[in-house]
Amino acid sequence: MFIGFDYGTANCSVASMSDGQPRLLSLEGDNFYIPSTICAPTRESVSEYLFRHFKISPSDAIGEQVLRRAIAFNREESIDLIKGDLAFGQAALDLYLEDPRDVYYVKSPKSFLGASGLHDIQVSFFEDLVCAMMANIKQKAEAQSEQEIRDTVIGRPINFHGRGGEIANQQAEKILLQAAKRAGFHNIEFQFEPVAAGLEYESTLTEDKTVLVVDIGGGTTDCSLIDMGPTWRGMSNRTASLLAHSGQRVGGNDLDIYLAFKQLMTSFGSTSKSLSGIDMPLTQFWNPIAINNVEAQRDFYSRENLKALKLLKKEAQSPEKLDRLLRMYQETLGYSVVRKAEEAKIALADCDEFRVKMDLVSELVEVDISLDQMIDAIETPKAKMVDLVKEAVAQSAKKPDVIFMTGGSARSPVLRQAVESQLPNVPIVSGNYFGSVTAGLARWAETCFK
């Protein structure tokens, strides 16, 4: 059996083909989409759990080294892993929100895979993270389909990371490939996510069209300009129909982070001053919420930074705000704050103002955010997304007949208006915002493995 596998930044989903149509498989209860999250008692628990309870061995000597260190650490801390100690999806998020201090939680590991400067140990650990998530999803899909799943087409963005170029892409794709092999897949192919979404839209066309696919996902925005329609449908070689691609690591997560930084981090002191009148260092308010940046998270939550934060509080004009920043450090609250910004972003698609309520353990902080404030806050990532649209069209010098927008953030009226302003009079259509990529990957898997 084969599946299309959307290993997404925000959510993961898989689909099989049934009577010529993609069929999404339930992965978490009755839900087709499982949040891309993982939670464990400790960081080291992931590698040991993968070996002990998934029965998946390391792929090389570096992986064996990571496993040995993990087992030694857990023994030293008297951590005896039992089945169920590794949580995924909504269960992982619930466990994290229950007590952020006592667990190791990761959201969107896909965001880290193309990061530059990773050591072999880090690459191997990320492979373990991805493998654990893929193995869990594969087991859930096999339980529903009652068949062994051997083959898959995995979606990938045009570019995994903003820096690093093709080297970063190769690093990320290799991690995904190795993780998928270890999870039990035998034959593995990759397809660009916007191309996959386009294949699903193509199934509805009765005449040939040039389609600009704009896929605004959780971690990346990807654009593909493609000739599509009855002439091309079902062809195994689509090279001649692929006219242009553009992509960058800027997506829904970035919208949430920028909104959190501009509107929520003021409650933690981001626009305040020291007693001497000097502005507070912005990196101390950016790093805790930059949840898609390995270096930023490491720097903020380092032991050395605790001393710097205490000094900032001592020298602050508003020490009560810096005390919240200290609590963010001590309680690992960065993910929670970004999640509140995401709630506001979603709500402001239907209203002009939203009140954010942040539970900071011993204090409830409320912040009102208007639609205009949100639009101002997300201007930088929005501009990058628009530039990608312009780049894809400029590459081919061919105007699209239609724009197909997909991905969770493509629902935003602000982003749709921004795309429309670049290509006026070109109709914008949408399908399943969350499922188009997965469905298209399943269609391509049928072409690859039939």
Side-chain angles (χ1 to χ4, degrees):
M1 179 179 170
F2 60 80
I3 58 171
F5 195 147
D6 182 9
Y7 181 75
T9 305
N11 297 284
C12 297
S13 56
V14 300
S16 61
M17 294 296 291
S18 178
D19 297 325
Q21 295 297 320
R23 180 175 68 95
L24 270 69
L25 304 178
S26 300
L27 299 178
E28 193 172 48
D30 294 330
N31 296 321
F32 297 134
Y33 309 101
I34 181 170
S36 301
T37 58
I38 185 170
C39 191
T42 63
R43 181 182 189 276
E44 291 75 12
S45 297
V46 176
S47 300
E48 182 180 352
Y49 193 97
L50 191 63
F51 176 74
R52 192 171 302 282
H53 293 292
F54 278 108
K55 308 301 180 185
I56 295 175
S57 299
S59 60
D60 55 25
I62 299 296
E64 291 175 358
Q65 182 181 347
V66 171
L67 178 60
R68 286 195 299 271
R69 288 183 180 182
I71 292 174
F73 176 88
N74 289 331
R75 293 300 162 272
E76 186 177 330
E77 297 295 320
S78 300
I79 296 172
D80 186 20
L81 293 173
I82 61 173
K83 203 165 186 63
D85 275 351
L86 208 62
F88 304 91
Q90 187 61 44
L93 177 59
D94 292 343
L95 196 59
Y96 163 72
L97 293 176
E98 187 177 306
D99 194 345
R101 294 170 299 177
D102 288 346
V103 296
Y104 174 75
Y105 175 78
V106 178
K107 178 184 178 183
S108 310
K110 183 181 178 181
S111 299
F112 308 144
L113 304 186
S116 57
L118 296 182
H119 301 300
D120 289 344
I121 293 291
Q122 290 174 300
V123 170
S124 182
F125 176 68
F126 287 149
E127 184 186 306
D128 282 351
L129 276 177
V130 176
C131 181
M133 295 172 70
M134 285 185 167
N136 174 65
I137 289 170
K138 185 172 184 289
Q139 287 183 6
K140 299 285 188 183
E142 288 178 336
Q144 185 184 348
S145 63
E146 298 182 340
Q147 295 184 60
E148 180 189 7
I149 300 172
R150 297 175 57 86
D151 308 323
T152 185
V153 172
I154 300 173
R156 56 151 287 184
I158 304 298
N159 292 303
F160 281 90
H161 205 270
R163 302 184 301 274
E166 194 52 34
I167 293 176
N169 289 334
Q170 291 171 4
Q171 172 183 284
E173 191 170 291
K174 183 179 179 182
I175 292 172
L176 289 174
L177 179 63
Q178 287 295 110
K181 285 180 178 178
R182 292 174 63 201
F185 293 105
H186 292 255
N187 297 298
I188 302 157
E189 300 287 343
F190 290 93
Q191 179 58 275
F192 287 139
E193 289 160 359
V195 173
L199 292 173
E200 176 61 9
Y201 175 61
E202 183 181 56
S203 69
T204 68
L205 294 178
T206 57
E207 59 180 344
D208 289 350
K209 292 181 181 292
T210 299
V211 182
L212 175 63
V213 181
V214 181
D215 178 15
I216 308 177
T220 60
T221 294
D222 298 289
C223 302
S224 290
L225 195 66
I226 316 170
D227 282 334
M228 313 199 96
T231 299
W232 301 96
R233 191 178 299 135
M235 293 181 63
S236 59
N237 185 347
R238 295 295 299 258
T239 304
S241 71
L242 306 179
L243 306 178
H245 300 295
S246 64
Q248 190 177 344
R249 199 190 74 167
V250 56
N253 283 353
D254 297 274
L255 302 176
D256 304 335
I257 290 167
Y258 272 83
L259 182 57
F261 181 68
K262 292 280 189 177
Q263 295 299 321
L264 301 185
M265 292 307 290
T266 54
S267 298
F268 297 83
S270 66
T271 55
S272 63
K273 297 180 182 292
S274 68
L275 292 171
S276 60
I278 299 174
D279 292 337
M280 288 289 165
L282 291 180
T283 54
Q284 291 287 18
F285 305 94
W286 176 262
N287 286 353
I289 58 170
I291 58 173
N292 55 3
N293 187 316
V294 178
E295 293 82 6
Q297 292 283 284
R298 182 191 62 211
D299 290 348
F300 182 77
Y301 290 109
S302 67
R303 291 183 180 179
E304 295 79 7
N305 196 42
L306 180 58
K307 295 179 182 178
L309 293 174
K310 289 180 177 178
L311 183 61
L312 283 180
K313 177 186 174 184
K314 183 178 180 181
E315 297 177 345
Q317 289 183 10
S318 304
E320 74 283 357
K321 292 184 178 181
L322 272 295
D323 185 60
R324 293 172 186 157
L325 189 64
L326 268 169
R327 267 182 276 159
M328 176 177 276
Y329 175 97
Q330 293 160 345
E331 308 292 336
T332 322
L333 296 176
Y335 283 108
S336 298
V337 172
V338 175
R339 186 166 178 265
K340 290 298 181 181
E342 181 185 16
E343 291 176 2
K345 178 191 70 176
I346 294 171
L348 288 169
D350 300 314
C351 61
D352 292 332
E353 189 165 296
F354 181 76
R355 175 165 290 183
V356 173
K357 298 180 179 181
M358 296 182 287
D359 185 359
L360 304 182
V361 183
S362 59
E363 179 188 16
L364 181 66
V365 177
E366 299 186 7
V367 180
D368 290 326
I369 303 177
S370 70
L371 176 59
D372 288 341
Q373 287 174 323
M374 185 198 75
I375 292 173
D376 178 68
I378 66 172
E379 177 58 35
T380 296
K382 185 189 77 172
K384 292 179 180 179
M385 294 172 182
V386 170
D387 285 344
L388 292 170
V389 171
K390 293 190 287 188
E391 180 185 341
V393 175
Q395 279 182 30
S396 68
K398 187 175 183 179
K399 187 178 180 180
D401 299 312
V402 62
I403 302 168
F404 178 67
M405 290 190 68
T406 190
S409 294
R411 296 172 299 168
S412 166
V414 175
L415 298 183
R416 292 176 74 88
Q417 289 167 12
V419 172
E420 186 177 26
S421 69
Q422 295 304 309
L423 293 164
N425 303 318
V426 178
I428 296 178
V429 299
S430 299
N432 183 329
Y433 288 109
F434 294 99
S436 293
V437 170
T438 317
L441 291 171
R443 290 184 184 278
W444 190 246
E446 185 173 53
T447 300
C448 293
F449 303 123
K450 64 181 178 182

